[in-house]
Amino acid sequence: YYLTQDLGYSTEDASLIYGTFLGVAYVTPILGGWIADRFIGRSAAIVGGALLKMAGYIGLLFGANVTVCLAAIVIGNGLFLPTLPATLGALFSPNDPDRQRSFSFYYLAVSAGALLAPLICGTLGENFGWRYSFLASATGLAAAIVIFLAGRHLLPPDRAAAASQPIYEAPIGATGRSVIP
C-alpha cells in the first residue's frame, strides 16, 4: 500500500518490488548466519542486524530512497534472524528439558509478533500515514536492542570462528597427536 498509495507506483511495479523484497528476505539469513558464525559473532549480528533494519525504517520515515531502505532492512534481517535461535540454543545443553520449552516459547513469541506487527503497522499506516508505521517498526527494534544489550551479560561467551580455523577439531589422544589420521 505504501508503494502504491504514497509513492504512486503501479500495482504491478509495487508487487514486483515487494515480491523481490520478500524473496531476498528469505535467502539472506543463510548468508547472515554464515557471517555471524565465521566473522562477527552472534551478538554483533543481532545488534548490527537490528540497527540496519531500524535504519531502513527510519530512512523510509524520512522519505529516503526506497531501494536503499529496503536493502538495509533485508540485510539487517539476514543478520538478525538466524542468530536469535542460535543464541537461545547456546543457553542450554542439548539434553536440558528447558531447551525445548524455551524454543516453544520463542516460536510462540515470533508467531505472535508476525501476527500483530502487520495489524499494528498496517492500521497506523492506513489510518494515520505510513510514516507512523515506519516509526512504530523502528521503535520496536530500538526496544529490542535495548532489551538485548541489557541482558547480554547473561548469555554464554560468543565466539566468532576465524575463517582460518577448522570447523571440526579432531580429538587429541594420549600422545598429543590427533586420534584421526
Side-chain angles (χ1 to χ4, degrees):
Y1 290 130
Y2 170 68
L3 293 173
T4 57
Q5 291 176 358
D6 277 13
L7 301 183
Y9 282 86
S10 69
T11 303
E12 293 80 20
D13 289 342
S15 294
L16 180 64
I17 291 168
Y18 188 62
T20 302
F21 170 77
L22 288 180
V24 175
Y26 278 104
V27 173
T28 55
I30 296 168
L31 182 59
W34 181 76
I35 290 169
D37 287 345
R38 289 293 190 161
F39 302 107
I40 64 175
R42 291 185 310 265
S43 293
I46 290 170
V47 173
L51 286 170
L52 269 173
K53 287 178 74 169
M54 191 170 72
Y57 287 120
I58 291 171
L60 290 172
L61 171 69
F62 291 110
N65 182 289
V66 172
T67 305
V68 172
C69 293
L70 292 179
I73 293 168
V74 165
I75 294 167
N77 182 69
L79 289 168
F80 183 79
L81 190 64
T83 51
L84 289 174
T87 300
L88 178 63
L91 292 171
F92 303 95
S93 66
N95 298 326
D96 189 336
D98 289 334
R99 181 181 173 99
Q100 183 61 39
R101 283 190 287 267
S102 296
F103 274 107
S104 295
F105 180 76
Y106 168 77
Y107 285 112
L108 175 68
V110 168
S111 296
L115 173 69
L116 294 175
L119 293 175
I120 293 168
C121 292
T123 300
L124 287 171
E126 293 218 13
N127 294 325
F128 302 103
W130 291 103
R131 291 182 175 206
Y132 290 100
S133 175
F134 303 138
L135 179 62
S137 298
T139 302
L141 284 163
I145 293 167
V146 168
I147 292 167
F148 180 79
L149 291 175
R152 186 166 61 177
H153 69 280
L154 301 170
L155 298 174
D158 183 18
R159 298 173 306 185
S164 61
Q165 290 180 334
I167 293 173
Y168 172 78
E169 293 184 20
I172 304 298
T175 61
R177 298 181 62 181
S178 173
V179 176
I180 300 173

